[in-house]
Amino acid sequence: MVAKTFGSAVSGVDANIITIEVNVGQGTNFFMVGLPDSAVKESQQRVESALKYFGYRMPRQKVVINLAPADIRKEGSAYDLPIAMGILQASEQVEFPTLGDYVIMGELSLDGNLRPIKGVLPIAIEARKKGFKGFILPIENAKEASIVNNLDIIAVETIQQSIDFLMGELEIIPLVTDTREIFYHSLDDIEFDFADVQGQENIKRAMEIAAAGGHNVIMIGPPGAGKTMLAKRLPSILPPLTLIEALETTKIHSVAGKLGKNGSLLANRPFRSPHHTISDVALVGGGGNPQPGEISLAHNGVLFLDELPEFKRSVLEVMRQPLEERRVTISRAKVSVDFPANFMLIASMNPCPCGYYNHPDKECVCGPGIVQRYLNKISGPLLDRIDLHVEVTPVKFDEMTSTRKTESSKEIRVRVIQGRERQKERFKDNPEVFCNAMMPSHITKQICQINEAGKMLLKTAMERLGLSARAYDRILKVARTIADISGSEDIKVEHLAEAIQYRSLDREGWAG
């Protein structure tokens, strides 16, 4: 007899429905075909043990399991439960009248309990799209799957519960979560607030400009000046996630297995801060079974690289293309996977190995040429993709102990959202451009028009400060964002003047 159950295989951030065909006939061997990996093949032992634990048997006949379509590679242990259901039906130990109405996924332990799996959200989305009635899965993943409406989410703890449910002997009420209500309630939950930061008003202003225009930022300053503290608070002033952005971001975290137990729709923009020992594969994604890297986990949020020169050169260079294209393509011999990677890059660094170059009080002990060599660890092409260079100075004692109330993240966010709304209107005919930082050169020339006084100021600044040619476009984009925040239609001289000061690393002789 042949039985059919349905599972799913995740590729990138999308899923494909897999038909699991089980045939029990004459013979004594066990065969599994359809490009299964080792973890899928090992399901035989887990399934046999789980079935015996609850009084069922593994057929002592020829069992053939086909995972179709056969040209898609099947990976992981999540096929245990649908394989077990298929074996029970094909061996006529039980009768499941509604087996074909459900997508079934779950890893079995030897005592028949179910363990959580990865990639539940894209599987649930695909199951609804293909018209399945419901999704049977481990109870720990149920909240994540319930993000998808119009699909019965059947949460089970053991293989026996799933058997009883499919036989019609156990009623399990589908889990329904008002995800959207929870999502909108959580939008204003702010863990780190700019109200906690005393002093550093110029850095807060730079962060506001970066958030409003989607600009990448590098902060240069001595240790203890507050670079990490300021970077952690940037997500709190970015515009709230839209429902579509939240779904995109949650799918990536689901595939990577980062949502955790009882994970639900992400309501806050992600903030990823990998250690400087990270490999290039861990940063951009990849592996034998391509998984999203840190830049994809930071999609619609912030990627913070602390101590930028300490990262390996090869790791930093692989970021150049994703920074431009806002996505990364992982290509292998048999598969090519796209992961979205639309993130803001925030980097921080000391000005020199000892950390005290240009410090107002402490003396730098680095020898001649050491500072320049340290800065040269960051390549020109990468620096070219960073719009704002901000010098961070230590906070004075009077500012640290001040009781003066500072602006909260909510207050700053209002201005950021207003600036983004103006950009949304401006770029409504350019679907590939969402904010000023994404403007290509030909659009920059059209939109960032400046008057004669502005041209003279820019010319003088470039000559006197020794700004490089690549700084020209960046200054115009940042000035456009400053104008958007202030509600100005035109780029004024004061907007240009403020933008010019954010090009520290482009100045000739900055490092001596």
Side-chain angles (χ1 to χ4, degrees):
M1 180 180 175
V2 176
K4 287 185 181 180
T5 61
F6 296 94
S8 184
V10 176
S11 175
V13 291
D14 298 309
N16 300 298
I17 296 298
I18 301 298
T19 304
I20 298 154
E21 301 169 331
V22 182
N23 181 33
V24 176
Q26 289 186 343
T28 55
N29 292 331
F30 184 97
F31 299 98
M32 189 177 292
V33 295
L35 277 185
D37 74 347
S38 297
V40 181
K41 289 176 181 175
E42 288 166 358
S43 66
Q44 179 184 356
Q45 280 71 35
R46 291 191 296 271
V47 168
E48 183 171 1
S49 177
L51 290 177
K52 281 184 177 178
Y53 192 85
F54 285 102
Y56 300 96
R57 59 181 172 77
M58 192 74 167
R60 292 294 171 236
Q61 296 166 274
K62 182 180 179 183
V63 178
V64 180
I65 298 171
N66 178 39
L67 309 173
D71 59 343
I72 295 176
R73 186 155 180 79
K74 324 302 184 302
E75 294 167 325
S77 53
Y79 297 97
D80 292 359
L81 188 58
I83 287 171
M85 297 297 104
I87 288 172
L88 288 173
Q89 173 98 327
S91 61
E92 299 181 347
Q93 296 181 63
V94 292
E95 180 64 33
F96 297 134
T98 59
L99 188 61
D101 296 341
Y102 295 90
V103 168
I104 306 171
M105 295 295 279
E107 178 187 339
L108 286 170
S109 59
L110 297 183
D111 61 359
N113 285 314
L114 288 174
R115 292 197 173 101
I117 59 174
K118 295 196 292 187
V120 163
L121 182 55
I123 294 171
I125 292 169
E126 186 65 16
R128 184 183 66 179
K129 193 187 297 181
K130 290 290 189 286
F132 284 91
K133 182 183 178 184
F135 184 9
I136 300 174
L137 76 169
I139 198 164
E140 285 94 336
N141 297 118
K143 195 173 179 184
E144 180 187 334
S146 67
I147 293 170
V148 180
N149 53 15
N150 300 322
L151 185 73
D152 289 353
I153 304 303
I154 308 300
V156 292
E157 292 185 74
T158 65
I159 188 173
Q160 186 64 60
Q161 286 184 359
S162 53
I163 292 168
D164 293 343
F165 172 78
L166 287 168
M167 290 175 68
E169 295 178 359
L170 174 67
E171 183 183 357
I172 299 177
I173 298 170
L175 179 67
V176 178
T177 308
D178 193 345
T179 310
R180 281 134 193 88
E181 181 69 22
I182 296 169
F183 170 72
Y184 288 120
H185 261 104
S186 305
L187 279 179
D188 292 325
D189 290 351
I190 294 173
E191 185 179 0
F192 300 106
D193 199 305
F194 271 104
D196 305 329
V197 182
Q198 293 293 338
Q200 303 290 26
E201 297 304 325
N202 59 325
I203 318 299
K204 288 183 194 174
R205 171 67 176 171
M207 289 294 189
E208 180 183 335
I209 294 165
H215 301 288
N216 300 323
V217 183
I218 183 166
M219 294 182 284
I220 312 110
K227 302 185 292 293
T228 303
M229 185 172 74
L230 288 156
K232 281 184 178 178
R233 282 156 177 75
L234 181 61
S236 68
I237 62 171
L238 287 169
L241 282 170
T242 64
L243 207 52
I244 293 171
E245 285 178 330
L247 198 59
E248 277 182 351
T249 309
T250 308
K251 276 173 73 175
I252 297 166
H253 285 248
S254 173
V255 169
K258 301 289 185 184
L259 284 181
K261 190 176 178 181
N262 297 319
S264 186
L265 195 65
L266 294 176
N268 298 312
R269 293 189 180 273
F271 178 86
R272 304 294 299 181
S273 178
H275 193 259
H276 62 257
T277 54
I278 192 171
S279 69
D280 47 359
V281 170
L283 187 69
V284 299
N289 170 27
Q291 290 288 303
E294 287 291 335
I295 63 171
S296 294
L297 292 169
H299 180 59
N300 291 323
V302 174
L303 178 70
F304 177 49
L305 301 183
D306 200 5
E307 304 300 342
L308 190 66
E310 302 302 330
F311 284 79
K312 285 183 285 189
R313 182 81 172 223
S314 62
V315 171
L316 296 178
E317 295 310 298
V318 293
M319 276 202 310
R320 282 158 49 177
Q321 189 179 1
L323 276 168
E324 288 290 323
E325 296 184 1
R326 310 278 170 171
R327 65 188 307 102
V328 60
T329 302
I330 310 295
S331 297
R332 296 290 179 266
K334 293 182 180 178
V335 68
S336 182
V337 176
D338 275 354
F339 290 115
N342 184 12
F343 61 93
M344 273 181 67
L345 174 64
I346 308 297
S348 75
M349 59 179 284
N350 293 329
C352 64
C354 80
Y356 297 109
Y357 181 79
N358 274 352
H359 194 282
D361 303 316
K362 297 186 180 180
E363 190 176 340
C364 174
V365 295
C366 298
I370 299 252
V371 178
Q372 191 60 54
R373 201 177 311 133
Y374 185 73
L375 295 175
N376 284 345
K377 287 184 178 182
I378 307 162
S379 70
L382 179 63
L383 209 56
D384 190 30
R385 289 160 173 81
I386 300 177
D387 294 348
L388 283 83
H389 308 160
V390 187
E391 291 185 64
V392 185
T393 53
V395 182
K396 293 177 181 173
F397 181 79
D398 291 343
E399 288 179 326
M400 258 192 292
T401 55
S402 171
T403 55
R404 181 173 62 88
K405 190 179 177 185
T406 59
E407 259 192 321
S408 70
S409 292
K410 284 185 179 178
E411 293 171 291
I412 300 171
R413 185 191 254 184
V414 171
R415 295 194 295 271
V416 170
I417 292 172
Q418 288 171 352
R420 286 284 182 114
E421 287 299 322
R422 292 186 183 96
Q423 292 165 54
K424 189 178 177 182
E425 179 63 26
R426 181 182 301 131
F427 301 125
K428 62 184 178 185
D429 297 327
N430 294 285
E432 296 299 313
V433 181
F434 304 108
C435 53
N436 290 335
M438 297 173 72
M439 282 191 286
S441 293
H442 66 280
I443 294 180
T444 306
K445 287 173 184 173
Q446 293 170 17
I447 288 171
C448 302
Q449 301 284 341
I450 53 176
N451 57 25
E452 286 304 316
K455 286 178 184 175
M456 285 302 297
L457 173 67
L458 202 47
K459 182 184 176 186
T460 306
M462 294 192 77
E463 288 173 353
R464 287 191 182 174
L465 298 175
L467 296 177
S468 67
R470 74 173 175 230
Y472 179 76
D473 265 10
R474 305 288 170 185
I475 289 170
L476 288 179
K477 288 180 185 179
V478 173
R480 180 64 265 171
T481 300
I482 296 168
D484 287 337
I485 294 172
S486 60
S488 172
E489 288 297 321
D490 302 316
I491 298 175
K492 297 178 180 175
V493 173
E494 57 266 30
H495 302 146
L496 274 171
E498 186 175 356
I500 288 165
Q501 70 171 333
Y502 296 126
R503 298 303 301 181
S504 300
L505 293 179
D506 277 317
R507 294 175 195 161
E508 286 179 3
W510 186 86

